[in-house]
Amino acid sequence: MKSQNYLGAASAMALLCVSSTAIAGEQASDQQAIGYRIGLAFAGVHNTLGGIGIESSGGVSVADTRPTVMFDGTLGYDFAPNWGIQGDLQAAALGKPDVADGDRTNAYGHGAVHLYHRTDSFLVGALGGLGIHDDRGDSNREMNYWFAGAEGKLLTGWGSVFAQAGYLDSYDRYDEGTREAPFARLGINYFLNDNWSVKLDGAYAGGKKWTDNLPNRVFDFNVESEIRPETWPVSLFARYEFTQISYHALDSDQYRYGENFHTVMVGLKFRSGATLREADRAPGSLDLPSFGKWVAFNANEIE
């Protein structure tokens, strides 16, 4: 039922963003006042048991790959000279795993707001949002998270550099998710030409896990390529994301316990702006780390 709510919210966001195209077309100023992005992707999420410096936590019994549908949408508006606001919606629904393990993430999603000051060469601002997630296991009564922080973006001749830092916290019945976690993210978006970009970013989150506050750690790395064919109204993208979530057992200094997750996705993005380079400089171009995955996978697949 919750996954249906995510899809309904995603559809509403898509309609809102599409309807803004008519408004954007009426802007007479040189600086675009309204911008948007709608993304839809199909992905496979594969988990591996331990490895890469960690021991398996036992949260998942075997490695498997699950089909996933992912949506994200943004709508940005410059309400005053050099000042703007952006709203985000992100959701993911995961397929049922092949193995008989009930405690797996079913869906997650969040909404967020960015308030920023921007010029022709940089952007600085603040962000905040709320999210929920759902599992098929023992904690599905109430599972949510929130985040807040600051962000910046530097526009260059070859693309852009972006950074975010802040605080992530979550709640679930057994305190299994990523809690009380400072986070940081840094990345670049490099343009091979006006309609072909390669994006790299990495992120880290600390925090605690369970009621005995075991030290928690999240590493996240992404590489994405996006291209818009010359006569197409949409762009195509492919993305790989590596996520490692682990915790440190206080009674054993030599081991960390956790899992690694590999996500491969392909999809479409519908953006404002005549080119991808213009879209990177327009309202609605900001995005966020995979907060939902950091929290939901920790509460379910890691545990």
Side-chain angles (χ1 to χ4, degrees):
M1 182 62 69
K2 288 187 179 180
S3 61
Q4 292 176 352
N5 293 338
Y6 290 132
L7 296 177
S11 300
M13 184 67 179
L15 290 173
L16 178 61
C17 292
V18 171
S19 67
S20 70
T21 60
I23 302 173
E26 296 173 1
Q27 301 300 325
S29 64
D30 293 335
Q31 188 180 54
Q32 188 175 341
I34 291 183
Y36 53 86
R37 180 184 71 245
I38 303 169
L40 179 65
F42 297 92
V45 178
H46 179 76
N47 65 273
T48 56
L49 304 180
I52 316 183
I54 58 175
E55 297 291 323
S56 176
S57 67
V60 289
S61 55
V62 298
D64 73 303
T65 301
R66 284 178 283 169
T68 304
V69 178
M70 308 183 78
F71 168 86
D72 79 279
T74 68
L75 180 61
Y77 174 57
D78 284 358
F79 57 84
N82 299 323
W83 286 94
I85 190 168
Q86 175 182 311
D88 298 1
L89 181 66
Q90 185 184 89
L94 285 76
K96 187 176 180 179
D98 293 332
V99 297
D101 185 342
D103 199 12
R104 294 292 186 92
T105 298
N106 177 37
Y108 59 84
H110 64 247
V113 175
H114 309 251
L115 180 64
Y116 56 81
H117 172 76
R118 74 182 183 103
T119 69
D120 291 337
S121 57
F122 70 88
L123 175 151
V124 292
L127 61 91
L130 299 171
I132 58 175
H133 58 110
D134 175 44
D135 72 2
R136 294 186 173 90
D138 54 11
S139 299
N140 55 9
R141 294 183 180 182
E142 183 180 359
M143 309 178 77
N144 53 56
Y145 57 96
W146 66 270
F147 50 88
E151 60 190 339
K153 187 175 182 179
L154 177 66
L155 301 176
T156 72
W158 47 262
S160 58
V161 180
F162 55 92
Q164 294 167 322
Y167 188 81
L168 168 68
D169 200 7
S170 70
Y171 170 81
D172 62 77
R173 186 180 181 186
Y174 300 111
D175 288 333
E176 294 175 329
T178 299
R179 299 186 297 110
E180 302 178 33
F183 70 86
R185 181 190 184 209
L186 179 64
I188 63 170
N189 196 14
Y190 181 81
F191 286 87
L192 301 170
N193 58 49
D194 284 349
N195 276 314
W196 187 7
S197 68
V198 176
K199 182 177 179 180
L200 300 171
D201 70 89
Y204 169 85
K208 303 173 182 178
K209 181 176 174 66
W210 283 326
T211 54
D212 46 0
N213 295 326
L214 300 183
N216 192 75
R217 185 181 72 188
V218 179
F219 286 127
D220 196 273
F221 174 77
N222 296 270
V223 56
E224 177 180 314
S225 182
E226 182 178 357
I227 187 168
R228 178 187 285 179
E230 214 172 296
T231 59
W232 287 30
V234 300
S235 58
L236 308 174
F237 76 96
R239 180 178 179 181
Y240 167 73
E241 179 176 7
F242 169 78
T243 307
Q244 183 186 90
I245 306 174
S246 65
Y247 61 91
H248 185 73
L250 295 178
D251 58 350
S252 177
D253 290 337
Q254 65 183 117
Y255 292 120
R256 295 194 68 90
Y257 296 90
E259 311 295 347
N260 299 292
F261 303 91
H262 310 268
T263 304
V264 177
M265 68 183 77
V266 293
L268 305 172
K269 292 183 183 181
F270 182 55
R271 295 177 178 268
S272 57
T275 67
L276 293 184
R277 191 188 295 270
E278 289 181 9
D280 190 47
R281 286 155 167 74
S285 63
L286 300 171
D287 63 6
L288 290 168
S290 299
F291 290 127
K293 184 181 296 183
W294 296 359
V295 173
F297 283 15
N298 204 4
N300 301 311
E301 280 76 3
I302 300 298
E303 70 169 24

